[in-house]
Amino acid sequence: MKSFYKLISIIIIFISGLSYSQKIEQQTIKKPTEGKSLVYLIRSNGVGAALNFRVYDSETFIGKIAAGTYVIYETEPGEHVFWAASENRDYVKANLDADQVYVIDVEGKMGMVLAAVNLNPLDPNNKKDQNKFYKVIKKHKELVYDANSLELEDKSENVSKAMAKYKELAEKSNNKIRSLSADQVFQHANKPQKNNSDS
């Protein structure tokens, strides 16, 4: 009889453990207001952790993305040019669908003096990208874009130079401009599941 109760206790503990691990792995994400698009701007690595990378949507300043944070940016669907500035400038041409969620990783990389910045659109079908998004949502602090709370600082000269450089690169069909396509949609930030085909 004791062994029966012991077996029942083990089964209960096992089932509790399973449900606990499932709760940890399931992470919902914000959805856009109807008719809008939502972009998560995350920082998945620690290179240049002391620097805050300035991120823009064409001429709109979204904010400084600090290590350990991510920004949720709601915008109109359609074509956008996201760019970030540090020691360099990096660009992503995006085509956003209404009612969908997208993710761009604002990555620090080694620069000549300061850290450089790399904008990397994440692919929801790529396990490494899924894992990056999962870890950031689980561990980092959420910030929501609010135009009214941004510092009033005149960056018009920087913006003008950045957009002129983008135009120059685009005219050369330069591969330095990455693309975020409308179908790179994230539904959640769940931990990617291993399957038998993974090795």
Side-chain angles (χ1 to χ4, degrees), residues 60-113:
T60 301
F61 177 49
I62 298 172
K64 295 176 183 176
I65 315 292
T69 68
Y70 61 91
V71 172
I72 300 173
Y73 174 64
E74 187 172 80
T75 187
E76 296 295 331
E79 290 193 1
H80 292 259
V81 176
F82 292 99
W83 60 278
S86 181
E87 187 176 276
N88 65 319
R89 292 188 194 97
D90 204 41
Y91 300 90
V92 167
K93 182 180 180 181
N95 184 16
L96 310 178
D97 276 348
D99 308 313
Q100 303 298 348
V101 177
Y102 302 90
V103 183
I104 297 175
D105 192 4
V106 184
E107 300 175 324
K109 60 180 184 177
M110 296 303 292
M112 295 292 288
V113 180

Side-chain angles (χ1 to χ4, degrees), residues 3-180:
S3 59
F4 174 74
Y5 285 120
K6 197 173 188 179
L7 179 63
I8 295 296
S9 298
I10 290 169
I11 291 171
I12 290 170
I13 290 167
F14 178 73
I15 290 170
S16 299
L18 280 179
S19 63
Y20 177 71
S21 65
Q22 285 175 351
K23 283 178 186 173
I24 287 176
E25 292 174 358
Q26 302 295 317
Q27 294 185 140
T28 58
I29 55 175
K30 296 256 188 331
K31 299 296 181 188
T33 306
E34 189 176 346
K36 302 281 189 178
S37 304
L38 206 65
V39 180
Y40 276 75
L41 296 150
I42 68 169
R43 279 188 69 175
S44 68
N45 69 19
V47 178
L51 291 177
N52 299 333
F53 296 128
R54 302 176 69 86
V55 181
Y56 296 78
D57 176 3
S58 294
E59 297 178 3
T60 301
F61 177 49
I62 298 172
K64 295 176 183 176
I65 315 292
T69 68
Y70 61 91
V71 172
I72 300 173
Y73 174 64
E74 187 172 80
T75 187
E76 296 295 331
E79 290 193 1
H80 292 259
V81 176
F82 292 99
W83 60 278
S86 181
E87 187 176 276
N88 65 319
R89 292 188 194 97
D90 204 41
Y91 300 90
V92 167
K93 182 180 180 181
N95 184 16
L96 310 178
D97 276 348
D99 308 313
Q100 303 298 348
V101 177
Y102 302 90
V103 183
I104 297 175
D105 192 4
V106 184
E107 300 175 324
K109 60 180 184 177
M110 296 303 292
M112 295 292 288
V113 180
L114 302 170
V117 64
N118 220 19
L119 291 186
N120 183 27
L122 297 192
D123 181 352
N125 298 311
N126 180 301
K127 285 231 167 117
K128 284 184 181 177
D129 287 356
Q130 290 173 13
N131 202 42
K132 278 183 185 179
F133 192 36
Y134 163 75
K135 286 181 177 177
V136 166
I137 299 303
K138 183 179 177 183
K139 297 179 180 178
H140 294 185
K141 181 182 177 184
E142 175 186 301
L143 303 171
V144 177
Y145 168 76
D146 178 6
N148 298 320
S149 69
L150 295 175
E151 60 199 54
L152 296 173
E153 198 178 333
D154 185 12
K155 293 290 180 184
S156 55
E157 187 179 341
N158 289 349
V159 169
S160 179
K161 286 179 182 176
M163 296 314 294
K165 183 65 177 176
Y166 172 79
K167 187 176 178 184
E168 179 189 321
L169 292 172
E171 284 172 355
K172 294 178 183 176
S173 298
N174 198 299
N175 62 2
K176 288 186 178 180
I177 300 172
R178 290 177 191 81
S179 293
L180 173 59

